């Protein structure tokens, strides 16, 4: 990731240069671990980008829980970063079965042998709304969370008026998966 972040930041810097009126930069879910909060290298790279144009960013990534007993367990997050630093963190509430957790793993521990690559994410519990501008309040929903109307309603009830879904559907490759996700 430390090699790839140079390419991602260069592409983002070019985007900022070509579009000086950008009001928000969104980095979608990407395979390498990324966290403004937990990795100094990520924080430095993002601070440099934001500092050049004072454009806020919404970055999809992950965070490890602070508790030492929870090593190997993660939160899928959207970090909202402004020129002043971290402004808020949303922890994904509805996790993808088999992708982010193993359903019923506590009842059937042998499932881990069948699905050894399944991640161990923990769901969040709070709806987040990030103020972008005077009239714009962002509701981050990660990946397929946008399919759940109750999550959208919770955000609207808290004042959100723009939904941002930092999803990476590239893993669908050439299949119809991305189009189906968009249609849903």
């Amino acid at each position: 990731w430390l090699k790839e972040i140079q390419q991602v930041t260069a592409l983002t810097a070019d985007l900022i240069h070509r579009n000086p009126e950008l009001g928000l930069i969104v980095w979608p879910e990407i395979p390498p671990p990324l966290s403004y909060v937990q990795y100094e290298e990520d924080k430095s790279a993002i601070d440099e980008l934001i500092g050049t144009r004072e454009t806020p960013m919404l970055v999809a990534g992950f965070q490890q829980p602070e508790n030492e007993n929870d090593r190997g367990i993660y939160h899928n997050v959207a970090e909202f970063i402004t020129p002043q630093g971290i402004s808020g963190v949303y922890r994904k509430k509805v996790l993808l079965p088999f992708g982010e957790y193993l359903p019923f793993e506590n009842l059937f521990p042998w499932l881990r042998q069948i699905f050894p690559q399944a991640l161990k994410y923990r769901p969040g519990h709070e709806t987040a709304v990030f103020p972008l501008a005077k009239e714009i309040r962002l509701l981050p929903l990660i990946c397929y969370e946008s399919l759940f109307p109750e999550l959208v309603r919770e955000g609207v009830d808290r004042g959100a008026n723009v939904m941002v879904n930092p999803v990476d559907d590239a893993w669908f490759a050439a299949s119809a998966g991305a189009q189906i996700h968009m249609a849903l």
Side-chain angles (χ1 to χ4, degrees):
W1 170 237
L2 293 178
K3 291 178 186 175
E4 292 177 23
I5 195 170
Q6 293 172 3
Q7 181 179 5
V8 172
T9 55
L11 289 168
T12 305
D14 184 54
L15 174 72
I16 292 168
H17 176 73
R18 292 173 187 259
N19 301 279
E21 301 301 318
L22 281 178
L24 176 68
I25 298 167
V26 179
W27 279 1
E29 299 174 295
I30 53 178
L34 172 70
S35 176
Y36 181 90
V37 173
Q38 292 187 330
Y39 295 120
E40 186 57 41
E41 296 89 351
D42 297 340
K43 181 182 182 311
S44 296
I46 292 169
D47 282 343
E48 187 174 325
L49 279 172
I50 290 177
T52 61
R53 300 297 295 178
E54 299 214 359
T55 305
M57 291 183 72
L58 185 72
V59 176
F62 84 102
Q63 291 180 357
Q64 296 178 326
E66 307 259 332
N67 185 344
E68 288 288 326
N69 296 329
D70 289 337
R71 288 289 174 221
I73 297 174
Y74 305 96
H75 289 286
N76 193 342
V77 300
E79 299 172 333
F80 185 57
I81 307 153
T82 67
Q84 292 74 39
I86 191 77
S87 179
V89 175
Y90 169 68
R91 290 175 178 84
K92 185 176 180 183
K93 293 168 63 172
V94 181
L95 301 178
L96 182 65
F98 300 98
E100 294 172 316
Y101 77 101
L102 276 177
F104 310 111
E105 181 178 17
N106 57 339
L107 296 173
F108 307 109
W110 48 266
L111 283 172
R112 182 60 55 188
Q113 294 172 338
I114 298 171
F115 302 101
Q117 300 301 319
L119 301 172
K120 293 183 178 182
Y121 280 65
R122 178 173 290 156
H125 303 290
E126 296 293 321
T127 299
V129 175
F130 303 137
L132 179 64
K134 183 177 180 182
E135 301 291 325
I136 302 172
R137 291 168 303 285
L138 304 175
L139 170 65
L141 295 175
I142 300 172
C143 193
Y144 89 130
E145 283 187 315
S146 61
L147 304 180
F148 298 91
E150 65 275 13
L151 295 181
V152 177
R153 172 56 51 204
E154 286 175 24
V156 170
D157 288 347
R158 289 180 175 232
N161 56 11
V162 174
M163 181 179 74
V164 179
N165 188 343
V167 63
D168 177 8
D169 280 344
W171 68 274
F172 284 123
S175 76
Q179 290 84 8
I180 292 168
H181 187 197
M182 177 62 97
L184 290 171

